[in-house]
């Protein structure tokens, strides 16, 4: 198996990206890594290894670049060359912590969609109170969606939850403003109808945002605008809560002592809420796995994204989505 890595993508590249790759090498003995990026800038962090190949790239897609224009014009960018390797069959999948919009554009224009998929969806596994987590999509690949798109999200999310996360019969919930069947706008009502009629998925009805972290469903589907808002709200609240806790615990000697006594429990809570433990955000609906790691990813998060990508390739997630969608059409 070969996994292509964007060595220059993300806030902490190339150091954390390369360290993440080398921390994954021994755990995934069947993987060869192709690292794309500026060889001079990556050199201080690279080590000789028979399963690592470095491909020099003279350009980088920055976070401030306009995504589509950057992918089309920066032909020698690490992200573009990485995606091209997948399209050419030189790699089975790719991982980047770089510009999200550009990675989606590279996935669409270079790797290409599975036939029958109208709109690919960005997905990720989010934490729950029970530590199991849930998969949510779309998280912003498409701001708008049709009912048929949301149905495809549910099918793809169910395949991923079963193949990658090992959930035998994953439950699917439609994010809505209430749990009653008739709730929501026209998109939600029409999507509900399609989901309820669909064979092969375990649709349990509408779920509310306040119940997401209580594991309301294994897979939650919505349009990209709503999904992205929910994702950023969860990230923001989690960060602020830990910030407030730190401030309170550092307020006095007494609270500092309490913090020391609670250190293990606080660490467990942080681990449950840590995105780096869950991997990246796959772009579902493409011919091969394209995985987006968080822009602020450090080595541990890159390792988790690689682990997730390895499972997706090993369990043939994209071919399974392809064959399932083909049957539906």
């Amino acid at each position: 198996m070969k996994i292509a890595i964007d060595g220059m993508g993300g806030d902490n590249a190339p150091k954390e990206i390369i360290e993440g790759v080398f921390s994954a090498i021994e755990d995934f003995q069947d993987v060869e890594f192709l690292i794309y990026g500026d060889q001079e800038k990556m050199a201080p962090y690279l080590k000789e290894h028979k399963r690592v190949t470095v491909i020099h790239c003279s350009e980088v897609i920055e976070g401030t670049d306009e995504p589509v224009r950057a992918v089309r014009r920066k032909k020698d960018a690490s992200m573009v060359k990485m995606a091209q390797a997948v399209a050419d069959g030189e790699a089975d999948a790719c991982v980047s912590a770089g510009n999200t919009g550009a990675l989606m554009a590279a996935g669409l224009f270079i790797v290409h969609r599975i036939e029958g998929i109208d709109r690919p969806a960005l997905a990720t596994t989010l934490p729950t109170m029970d530590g199991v987590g849930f998969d949510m999509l779309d998280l912003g690949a498409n701001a708008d969606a049709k009912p048929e798109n949301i149905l495809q999200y549910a099918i793809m999310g169910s395949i991923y939850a079963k193949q990658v996360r090992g959930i035998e019969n994953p439950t699917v919930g439609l994010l809505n403003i209430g749990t009653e069947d008739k709730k929501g706008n026209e998109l939600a009502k029409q999507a509900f109808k399609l989901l309820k009629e669909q064979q092969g998925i375990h649709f349990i009805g509408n779920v509310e945002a306040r119940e997401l972290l209580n594991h309301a469903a294994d897979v939650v589907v919505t349009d990209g605008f709503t999904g992205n808002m929910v994702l950023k709200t969860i990230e923001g609240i989690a960060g602020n809560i830990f910030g407030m806790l730190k401030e309170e615990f550092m307020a006095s000697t007494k609270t500092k002592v309490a913090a020391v006594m609670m250190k293990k429990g606080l660490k467990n809570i942080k681990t449950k809420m840590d995105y780096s433990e869950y991997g990246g955000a796959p772009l579902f609906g493409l011919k091969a796995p394209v995985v987006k790691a968080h822009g602020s990813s450090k080595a541990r998060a890159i390792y988790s994204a690689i682990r997730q990508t390895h499972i997706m390739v090993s369990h043939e997630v994209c071919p399974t989505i392809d064959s399932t969608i083909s049957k539906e059409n």
Side-chain angles (χ1 to χ4, degrees):
M1 183 190 305
K2 291 185 179 181
I3 297 178
I5 306 289
D6 176 7
M8 306 303 294
D11 302 336
N12 300 303
K15 180 179 183 291
E16 298 291 338
I17 310 301
I18 294 169
E19 287 183 1
V21 170
F22 278 95
S23 68
I25 282 177
E26 299 311 317
D27 285 352
F28 306 107
Q29 296 283 337
D30 60 334
V31 178
E32 291 182 40
F33 292 96
L34 309 176
I35 305 178
Y36 293 81
D38 187 317
Q39 199 151 11
E40 185 177 341
K41 290 181 179 178
M42 295 192 298
Y45 315 107
L46 291 167
K47 294 175 283 188
E48 287 289 331
H49 199 289
K50 63 181 181 181
R51 287 190 282 116
V52 174
T53 302
V54 176
I55 298 92
H56 176 71
C57 301
S58 61
E59 295 178 294
V60 176
I61 293 179
E62 307 289 351
T64 53
D65 284 342
E66 196 286 317
V68 175
R69 184 180 292 112
V71 169
R72 287 178 172 165
R73 293 185 178 180
K74 293 187 173 182
K75 298 297 185 184
D76 201 46
S78 53
M79 183 186 291
V80 173
K81 299 284 278 188
M82 171 196 76
Q84 192 63 55
V86 176
D88 293 342
E90 296 171 5
D92 300 295
C94 58
V95 178
S96 174
N99 184 315
T100 302
L103 185 62
M104 289 192 290
L108 285 169
F109 301 140
I110 301 173
V111 179
H112 297 302
R113 288 178 294 179
I114 291 170
E115 188 174 349
I117 295 290
D118 298 323
R119 295 182 181 181
L122 196 63
T124 196
T125 303
L126 293 169
T128 53
M129 296 297 289
D130 59 9
V132 175
F134 72 99
D135 299 311
M136 187 169 178
L137 61 165
D138 178 24
L139 296 178
N142 306 281
D144 299 309
K146 297 176 181 178
E148 295 78 12
N149 302 143
I150 292 179
L151 173 61
Q152 289 188 343
Y153 300 164
I155 293 170
M156 293 189 291
S158 294
I159 291 169
Y160 179 82
K162 183 175 181 180
Q163 302 282 83
V164 175
R165 302 188 59 228
I167 302 171
E168 185 56 37
N169 189 26
T171 55
V172 177
L174 174 64
L175 187 63
N176 210 327
I177 58 172
T179 57
E180 299 88 349
D181 290 6
K182 302 296 182 182
K183 280 281 187 177
N185 56 17
E186 195 58 33
L187 172 63
K189 290 175 182 176
Q190 291 299 317
F192 184 97
K193 185 174 182 294
L194 291 179
L195 290 165
K196 194 170 184 179
E197 294 171 351
Q198 179 66 30
Q199 300 293 315
I201 63 170
H202 185 190
F203 180 57
I204 60 170
N206 293 322
V207 296
E208 294 184 276
R210 64 181 177 182
E211 294 300 325
L212 292 179
L213 300 190
N214 289 325
H215 202 160
D218 297 312
V219 178
V220 176
V221 291
T222 187
D223 62 275
F225 181 85
T226 305
N228 192 269
M229 295 275 281
V230 170
L231 173 66
K232 288 177 179 174
T233 299
I234 291 173
E235 287 181 338
I237 289 173
N240 285 328
I241 287 174
F242 281 108
M244 288 187 287
L245 283 172
K246 184 177 180 180
E247 187 177 310
E248 289 297 321
F249 278 126
M250 295 296 106
S252 68
T253 302
K254 187 183 292 185
T255 54
K256 287 178 182 177
V257 172
V260 172
M261 295 175 67
M262 295 180 64
K263 186 177 180 180
K264 184 177 179 181
L266 291 171
K267 188 176 180 180
N268 289 339
I269 293 171
K270 188 175 181 180
T271 299
K272 278 186 178 182
M273 300 297 291
D274 189 358
Y275 68 86
S276 69
E277 296 295 322
Y278 292 90
L283 190 57
F284 289 153
L286 299 180
K287 291 182 176 180
V290 174
V291 176
K292 171 68 174 72
H294 200 285
S296 60
S297 289
K298 292 198 172 180
R300 178 63 188 175
I302 297 301
Y303 171 92
S304 297
I306 290 169
R307 179 190 63 207
Q308 175 186 28
T309 306
H310 178 267
I311 297 171
M312 288 184 71
V313 176
S314 300
H315 289 74
E316 300 185 330
V317 170
C318 293
T320 303
I321 290 173
D322 191 351
S323 62
T324 303
I325 295 298
S326 295
K327 290 176 184 175
E328 293 297 322
N329 293 334

